[in-house]
Amino acid sequence: MGVDTARAARWAGRASLAANIGIVVTGGAVRLTGSGLGCPTWPRCTDEGFTPHGSLSYHSAIEFGNRMLTFVLVAVAVVTVVAAWRTGRRDLRVLSVVLALGIPLQAVIGGITVLTDLNPWIVSLHLLLSLAMIGLSVRFLQVLDRPVPAERGPTVVLAWATFAAAWIVLYLGTVVTGSGPHAGDAQAPRNGLDPLQLSQLHADAVFLLVGLSVAMLVMRPARAAWALVGVEIGQGAVGFVQYFTGLPEVLVGLHVLGAALTSAAVTWLLLSVRHPPSAG
């Protein structure tokens, strides 16, 4: 694989990572501004057409704008597939195709979200898929740099445990959100669970994740471990403040961004342990 080919693939992978983090943030903005049903149907925006013109409002503009970002993701996915194909490597090609297939899957789930009036469980799935695609984008970059066999041992087991704990935290975070006030629309249903009890369960999972991350930092104080702990400190601070200040939209939006960064950081940690530079 030539230098130019590798450079193009690396830039494409970074663009994929940035785009998928961006769509998480903009999706959060749709929900936090109450614009989840700004386009009340799908695949059209209204019964009259695919755009909200003629009935344009603040909420419909935000929701329609978020839908249009799908085309940005498509463009990035196409560039990533082309760059991966030019490398001649099957592993990169497979990852690029999986990332590309995630976009229409996200569109369908997004459509079901609208058609079910923002069912909180479907909204949760919508976010979780984006978080998974962020992890796959990190995987694409790691495979590009270090396509080597995976290591084994107690440190790898701890890394997997940290990865699993992070995803438990991420999932519980979506469930907490589904019980809280930011539904995406004033008439959208909630999951009916107790926000206080869920928040405590979420906090317990966070404590577990932090403990595992610190242990990971002690066993292998690499940049990936430091990055994950740093993200967790930021997430914890934002989560603590937002809980005791009535969940202001700006802080909730930062917490959504933190979830995206958590997915990226914990994936980076796992991969850096399984495929250390010394193995290359």
Side-chain angles (χ1 to χ4, degrees), residues 6-24 69-81 83 99 103 130 133-134 136-138 140-141 144:
R7 183 182 296 115
R10 185 170 291 104
W11 276 108
R14 289 170 178 169
S16 178
L17 177 60
N20 280 290
I21 291 176
I23 203 69
V24 167
L69 288 176
T70 300
F71 294 102
V72 176
L73 286 176
V74 170
V76 171
V78 170
V79 170
T80 304
V81 169
L99 281 167
I103 297 172
S130 287
M133 291 176 69
I134 289 170
L136 285 174
S137 298
V138 174
F140 181 92
L141 290 168
L144 179 63

Side-chain angles (χ1 to χ4, degrees), residues 12-95:
R14 289 170 178 169
S16 178
L17 177 60
N20 280 290
I21 291 176
I23 203 69
V24 167
V25 174
T26 58
V30 170
R31 178 168 55 83
L32 293 169
T33 57
S35 305
L37 294 177
C39 286
T41 188
W42 187 87
R44 296 188 172 200
C45 181
T46 67
D47 291 334
E48 288 73 33
F50 288 93
T51 64
H53 65 276
S55 59
L56 185 64
S57 68
Y58 167 73
H59 295 306
S60 61
I62 292 176
E63 166 62 7
F64 182 71
N66 188 62
R67 290 190 183 189
M68 291 299 96
L69 288 176
T70 300
F71 294 102
V72 176
L73 286 176
V74 170
V76 171
V78 170
V79 170
T80 304
V81 169
V82 171
W85 231 260
R86 290 181 59 199
T87 67
R89 286 177 45 186
R90 184 176 181 276
D91 50 359
L92 292 174
R93 290 176 175 179
V94 170
L95 279 169

Side-chain angles (χ1 to χ4, degrees), residues 50-273:
F50 288 93
T51 64
H53 65 276
S55 59
L56 185 64
S57 68
Y58 167 73
H59 295 306
S60 61
I62 292 176
E63 166 62 7
F64 182 71
N66 188 62
R67 290 190 183 189
M68 291 299 96
L69 288 176
T70 300
F71 294 102
V72 176
L73 286 176
V74 170
V76 171
V78 170
V79 170
T80 304
V81 169
V82 171
W85 231 260
R86 290 181 59 199
T87 67
R89 286 177 45 186
R90 184 176 181 276
D91 50 359
L92 292 174
R93 290 176 175 179
V94 170
L95 279 169
S96 67
V97 170
V98 171
L99 281 167
L101 291 177
I103 297 172
L105 179 58
Q106 274 289 61
V108 170
I109 295 175
I112 295 173
T113 298
V114 172
L115 297 176
T116 57
D117 295 326
L118 306 182
N119 180 291
W121 300 107
I122 306 298
V123 173
S124 172
L125 179 61
H126 200 39
L127 174 57
L128 290 171
L129 178 56
S130 287
L131 296 177
M133 291 176 69
I134 289 170
L136 285 174
S137 298
V138 174
R139 172 66 171 168
F140 181 92
L141 290 168
Q142 179 271 327
V143 168
L144 179 63
D145 290 332
R146 288 197 294 274
V148 296
E151 284 195 352
R152 298 182 180 182
T155 307
V156 176
V157 172
L158 179 58
W160 272 113
T162 305
F163 183 82
W167 272 94
I168 291 172
V169 168
L170 293 172
Y171 173 71
L172 289 176
T174 68
V175 179
V176 172
T177 299
S179 68
H182 299 298
D185 186 84
Q187 305 303 318
R190 302 283 71 204
N191 59 29
L193 301 176
D194 186 342
L196 182 60
Q197 292 183 355
L198 283 174
S199 296
Q200 182 59 60
L201 181 61
H202 180 58
D204 292 341
V206 169
F207 289 136
L208 173 63
L209 172 59
V210 171
L212 290 170
S213 300
V214 170
M216 195 72 248
L217 189 59
V218 171
M219 293 187 69
R220 186 167 293 186
R223 284 191 303 163
W226 282 109
L228 178 59
V229 171
V231 169
E232 290 169 358
I233 291 173
Q235 271 292 74
V238 172
F240 182 84
V241 174
Q242 74 171 10
Y243 181 80
F244 288 102
T245 55
L247 301 176
E249 286 81 357
V250 172
L251 290 182
V252 175
L254 286 175
H255 209 50
V256 171
L257 172 60
L261 296 178
T262 298
S263 177
V266 77
T267 304
W268 181 24
L269 172 65
L270 174 62
L271 294 175
S272 69
V273 172

